Amino acid sequence: MLETNTTGALKAARHRLAWLDQLAYELFRVTGRSQLMQCLWLYDRDVNRAALVQTYERLIALSFNRLIEPSSFPWGRPRWVAGTSVPFEQNSDPLPRSQLLQWANQHARAPIDPVSGPAGRMAIQAFDDGSTAVSIVGSHLVLDGMGALRVIASAVNGTGVPNPYLPKGGRGRLSGCLSDARQILADAPQTVAALVRIAQAHWYRPAAPVKGSAVAPAAEAVHDPSTIVELPAIALTVDSHAWLACEQRLGGDMSTLLPGFVASLASSLGRRRFSDGAISLLVPRSRRRGLADERALAIEFHMMNVAPEGLTRSLEPVNAARALLRGARKSQTDVLTSLLPAIAWMPRTSAKTLVNGLFDYSDELPVSCSDLGMLPEGLARIDGAPCRHLLTRAVDVNVTRRDLERSHGHLVVVASRYDKKVSLCIEACQLRPTPTTADELRLLVSRTLADFGLEAAIEA
């Protein structure tokens, strides 16, 4: 529900985080894991820095530039406040062109904090072949990928919603406490109902045993579960005509080659459901209601189950799975939404338990498969003129070995289209027998491309 009311009894709810956003915030507080989005523009020349600065100034004046202010009460709702300045780094010392993704990874790992700030960063980097890259990184706790792309496009076009938020602490302590208390009382009926649902669904249900092969304690003891693991990532670009021809050759409906490709790659990485060997694709769908929608995560999550065998010969199993997905009446988000009003009243670690139970990491091993489609008009002109290449990707930072053990590894794929090219940005890691390296991931992706008869330019 869009929570931007400003009149009457609902005024206390103004700029509160939506329930799903609050769950994501609680998970961040529990795990310290940052889920980020990054957009990369690549030009064959130096960028127009004056035009780029103008886009930057427009961007920080929009609602994209915001932070989360926790409530004064343990059970209160956090709210949106105006952001701090967004760092803008400019480096004219050229790097080797082969280090594009390494530079992008380094920029994504610079400090980002959606509470204390900054919640985003921008950078320019020159390369030794005369090309220049621009990077914008932001926290998913502030906006989802599609929302961020639309805001950036609106900054390029000189449109958008001006930042409506007060600075941190701008309500005053007494006024803020009274407002938060009123909101707690207003939320009480939903909170009680959610607590009852959780008790019925989880507290009285015996814990299901974790499935899969056991690991010998001696082998497990050599690993520190708090060790931070840098997830390998690659980006690939395929000619859109070749992509479409492959989809048609394999009998796929529109946009079924991506889930087929991801399912095949997931199978190679061992992310097959323990119960039946299928691949569980977690497919987000945007439900954003324009630029004034204050939700950070204005998305629904649907699970699409695909058997990976034979997908390089026929995409019919994906066609069937998509048809079932279109006809599904409930999504993972629908179930989650009914439980979220209780999140502030539960122990923090329960947020992780809630997500684990809904997405069943013990059996389904979900794979995130996000298709952003054709990128918004104007997005490519961040310096006033179209770039040559545009990449959008997800980046997970501060991921511990414990996190990867819990989810039995990691695979996230983000696809987008721009200028007759289809781009896939892939972040993946399996822990055994040893953690996946970038070279190993590139080899697996190359083999999967070859299996589908596709050629691609790969950045690693």
Side-chain angles (χ1 to χ4, degrees):
M1 180 178 181
L2 182 58
E3 298 174 300
T4 56
N5 302 289
T6 59
T7 60
L10 296 177
K11 188 174 182 180
R14 188 183 185 196
H15 304 324
R16 304 289 178 185
L17 269 66
W19 296 120
L20 186 60
D21 300 340
Q22 186 168 345
L23 174 64
Y25 167 61
E26 294 294 343
L27 283 171
F28 168 73
R29 292 209 293 178
V30 169
T31 65
R33 177 173 180 168
S34 293
Q35 295 181 309
L36 311 174
M37 55 205 160
Q38 184 174 37
C39 196
L40 292 168
W41 293 260
L42 186 63
Y43 285 90
D44 285 333
R45 53 171 174 78
D46 192 10
V47 294
N48 182 334
R49 298 190 181 232
L52 197 60
V53 167
Q54 185 178 46
T55 298
Y56 164 78
E57 290 174 346
R58 289 172 178 167
L59 187 61
I60 62 175
L62 299 179
S63 56
F64 174 87
N65 186 21
R66 61 185 182 178
L67 296 171
I68 296 170
E69 181 179 62
S71 170
S72 302
F73 298 113
W75 309 286
R77 302 268 300 275
R79 65 195 308 273
W80 298 115
V81 293
T84 56
S85 60
V86 175
F88 186 9
E89 304 156 18
Q90 302 185 51
N91 187 6
S92 299
D93 296 330
L95 292 174
R97 174 60 181 79
S98 60
Q99 293 184 12
L100 169 65
L101 213 57
Q102 292 173 255
W103 169 77
N105 288 335
Q106 182 179 1
H107 183 230
R109 287 175 172 80
I112 284 182
D113 191 314
V115 177
S116 60
R121 311 184 76 92
M122 188 170 178
I124 308 172
Q125 176 62 53
F127 293 95
D128 59 3
D129 64 350
S131 63
T132 310
V134 179
S135 167
I136 293 180
V137 179
S139 169
H140 263 309
L141 293 184
V142 173
L143 268 180
D144 57 41
M146 186 57 74
L149 296 179
R150 289 179 179 176
V151 168
I152 296 170
S154 71
V156 171
N157 296 329
T159 59
V161 177
N163 196 316
Y165 306 115
L166 292 173
K168 187 176 293 187
R171 292 181 299 168
R173 183 166 180 80
L174 178 59
S175 175
C177 288
L178 290 173
S179 175
D180 289 353
R182 285 194 297 268
Q183 189 64 47
I184 290 171
L185 292 174
D187 291 338
Q190 295 179 73
T191 301
V192 172
L195 286 169
V196 170
R197 280 190 290 268
I198 290 172
Q200 293 171 341
H202 296 279
W203 292 356
Y204 301 134
R205 180 184 301 170
V210 176
K211 302 174 184 177
S213 57
V215 179
E220 193 69 20
V222 302
H223 300 297
D224 181 355
S226 64
T227 300
I228 300 298
V229 180
E230 289 197 7
L231 302 177
I234 66 168
L236 63 93
T237 305
V238 181
D239 180 83
S240 58
H241 294 297
W243 184 267
L244 180 60
C246 178
E247 194 168 58
Q248 293 174 340
R249 173 171 51 83
L250 299 177
D253 295 335
M254 185 174 294
S255 301
T256 53
L257 180 54
L258 176 64
F261 179 89
V262 174
S264 293
L265 178 61
S267 180
S268 299
L269 281 163
R271 294 198 66 76
R272 300 179 64 144
R273 214 157 57 180
F274 292 124
S275 58
D276 59 6
I279 305 298
S280 298
L281 298 177
L282 193 61
V283 181
R285 286 179 170 177
S286 178
R287 291 294 182 261
R288 188 162 296 280
R289 308 184 193 114
L291 292 171
D293 191 334
E294 282 200 332
R295 292 173 296 172
L297 301 175
I299 49 182
E300 291 178 351
F301 295 101
H302 296 261
M303 197 73 83
M304 183 167 70
N305 301 313
V306 179
E309 293 82 4
L311 294 179
T312 57
R313 299 185 299 275
S314 173
L315 290 172
E316 184 54 39
V318 185
N319 296 342
R322 280 184 66 88
L324 288 173
L325 189 64
R326 285 193 296 269
R329 299 180 63 183
K330 291 290 181 182
S331 69
Q332 298 293 111
T333 314
D334 292 326
V335 180
L336 189 61
T337 300
S338 69
L339 308 178
L340 290 180
I343 191 66
W345 293 82
M346 297 166 62
R348 283 187 181 178
T349 53
S350 296
K352 192 159 54 174
T353 303
L354 189 62
V355 171
N356 287 350
L358 283 167
F359 297 116
D360 195 4
Y361 288 103
S362 66
D363 179 69
E364 292 184 339
L365 310 189
V367 173
S368 181
C369 178
S370 180
D371 188 355
L372 298 176
M374 191 64 67
L375 295 176
E377 184 179 355
L379 179 68
R381 302 193 307 270
I382 195 165
D383 84 333
C387 62
R388 181 180 65 81
H389 196 31
L390 185 56
L391 292 173
T392 54
R393 67 190 198 122
V395 184
D396 284 62
V397 177
N398 203 30
V399 181
T400 64
R401 187 178 180 91
R402 183 185 295 108
D403 291 333
L404 294 174
E405 293 284 358
R406 175 182 63 88
S407 59
H408 299 274
H410 176 85
L411 176 56
V412 173
V413 181
V414 178
S416 59
R417 292 165 176 78
Y418 167 68
D419 191 28
K420 301 178 182 179
K421 300 288 184 184
V422 176
S423 297
L424 274 65
C425 293
I426 302 168
E427 185 181 69
C429 186
Q430 292 301 106
L431 288 175
R432 296 186 178 87
T434 57
T436 309
T437 66
D439 287 341
E440 289 169 342
L441 178 59
R442 180 172 186 156
L443 181 59
L444 281 173
V445 170
S446 298
R447 287 174 178 169
T448 307
L449 286 165
D451 289 342
F452 281 89
L454 292 168
E455 296 182 355
I458 300 179
E459 303 272 2

